[in-house]
Short mmCIF file of all heavy atoms in Angstrom, two decimals:
data_model
loop_
_atom_site.label_atom_id
_atom_site.label_comp_id
_atom_site.label_asym_id
_atom_site.label_seq_id
_atom_site.Cartn_x
_atom_site.Cartn_y
_atom_site.Cartn_z
N ILE A 5 -14.84 34.91 1.57
CA ILE A 5 -14.96 35.05 0.10
C ILE A 5 -14.95 33.68 -0.56
O ILE A 5 -15.76 33.39 -1.45
CB ILE A 5 -13.83 35.96 -0.44
CG1 ILE A 5 -14.07 37.39 0.07
CG2 ILE A 5 -13.79 35.92 -1.95
CD1 ILE A 5 -12.99 38.37 -0.29
N ILE A 6 -14.04 32.81 -0.10
CA ILE A 6 -13.97 31.47 -0.69
C ILE A 6 -15.28 30.72 -0.47
O ILE A 6 -15.84 30.12 -1.39
CB ILE A 6 -12.78 30.69 -0.09
CG1 ILE A 6 -11.47 31.32 -0.56
CG2 ILE A 6 -12.84 29.22 -0.50
CD1 ILE A 6 -10.25 30.82 0.15
N LYS A 7 -15.81 30.85 0.75
CA LYS A 7 -17.05 30.15 1.06
C LYS A 7 -18.19 30.66 0.18
O LYS A 7 -18.99 29.88 -0.35
CB LYS A 7 -17.38 30.37 2.54
CG LYS A 7 -18.34 29.34 3.08
CD LYS A 7 -18.70 29.65 4.52
CE LYS A 7 -20.07 29.09 4.84
NZ LYS A 7 -20.63 29.63 6.06
N ARG A 8 -18.23 31.97 0.03
CA ARG A 8 -19.28 32.56 -0.80
C ARG A 8 -19.15 32.11 -2.24
O ARG A 8 -20.14 31.86 -2.93
CB ARG A 8 -19.21 34.09 -0.73
CG ARG A 8 -19.88 34.67 0.49
CD ARG A 8 -21.36 34.38 0.53
NE ARG A 8 -22.11 35.06 -0.52
CZ ARG A 8 -22.77 36.19 -0.34
NH1 ARG A 8 -22.78 36.76 0.83
NH2 ARG A 8 -23.41 36.75 -1.34
N LEU A 9 -17.89 32.02 -2.72
CA LEU A 9 -17.64 31.61 -4.10
C LEU A 9 -18.18 30.21 -4.35
O LEU A 9 -18.86 29.94 -5.34
CB LEU A 9 -16.12 31.65 -4.34
CG LEU A 9 -15.69 32.21 -5.68
CD1 LEU A 9 -16.26 33.60 -5.90
CD2 LEU A 9 -14.18 32.23 -5.78
N VAL A 10 -17.88 29.30 -3.41
CA VAL A 10 -18.34 27.92 -3.55
C VAL A 10 -19.87 27.90 -3.56
O VAL A 10 -20.50 27.29 -4.44
CB VAL A 10 -17.80 27.05 -2.39
CG1 VAL A 10 -18.41 25.66 -2.44
CG2 VAL A 10 -16.28 26.97 -2.47
N ALA A 11 -20.46 28.64 -2.63
CA ALA A 11 -21.92 28.68 -2.55
C ALA A 11 -22.51 29.23 -3.85
O ALA A 11 -23.54 28.74 -4.34
CB ALA A 11 -22.36 29.53 -1.37
N SER A 12 -21.85 30.23 -4.43
CA SER A 12 -22.34 30.83 -5.66
C SER A 12 -22.34 29.82 -6.80
O SER A 12 -23.28 29.75 -7.59
CB SER A 12 -21.47 32.02 -6.06
OG SER A 12 -21.44 32.95 -5.03
N ILE A 13 -21.27 29.04 -6.87
CA ILE A 13 -21.17 28.05 -7.94
C ILE A 13 -22.29 27.01 -7.80
O ILE A 13 -22.96 26.65 -8.77
CB ILE A 13 -19.77 27.39 -7.95
CG1 ILE A 13 -18.75 28.44 -8.38
CG2 ILE A 13 -19.74 26.19 -8.87
CD1 ILE A 13 -17.31 28.04 -8.16
N VAL A 14 -22.52 26.58 -6.57
CA VAL A 14 -23.60 25.61 -6.33
C VAL A 14 -24.95 26.21 -6.74
O VAL A 14 -25.75 25.58 -7.43
CB VAL A 14 -23.62 25.18 -4.84
CG1 VAL A 14 -24.82 24.29 -4.56
CG2 VAL A 14 -22.33 24.47 -4.47
N THR A 15 -25.17 27.47 -6.35
CA THR A 15 -26.43 28.13 -6.69
C THR A 15 -26.61 28.19 -8.21
O THR A 15 -27.67 27.86 -8.74
CB THR A 15 -26.44 29.57 -6.12
OG1 THR A 15 -26.02 29.53 -4.78
CG2 THR A 15 -27.81 30.19 -6.23
N LEU A 16 -25.55 28.61 -8.89
CA LEU A 16 -25.62 28.70 -10.35
C LEU A 16 -25.94 27.33 -10.96
O LEU A 16 -26.75 27.22 -11.89
CB LEU A 16 -24.27 29.18 -10.90
CG LEU A 16 -24.14 30.68 -11.12
CD1 LEU A 16 -22.78 31.00 -11.69
CD2 LEU A 16 -25.23 31.19 -12.07
N TRP A 17 -25.32 26.29 -10.43
CA TRP A 17 -25.54 24.94 -10.96
C TRP A 17 -27.02 24.53 -10.77
O TRP A 17 -27.65 24.02 -11.69
CB TRP A 17 -24.61 23.94 -10.26
CG TRP A 17 -24.93 22.52 -10.60
CD1 TRP A 17 -24.69 21.89 -11.78
CD2 TRP A 17 -25.61 21.58 -9.77
NE1 TRP A 17 -25.17 20.62 -11.75
CE2 TRP A 17 -25.74 20.40 -10.53
CE3 TRP A 17 -26.12 21.62 -8.46
CZ2 TRP A 17 -26.36 19.26 -10.01
CZ3 TRP A 17 -26.73 20.50 -7.96
CH2 TRP A 17 -26.84 19.33 -8.73
#
Side-chain angles (χ1 to χ4, degrees):
Chain A
I5 292 175
I6 292 169
K7 200 183 153 195
R8 278 297 293 262
L9 221 56
V10 173
S12 303
I13 291 168
V14 174
T15 313
L16 266 181
W17 171 73

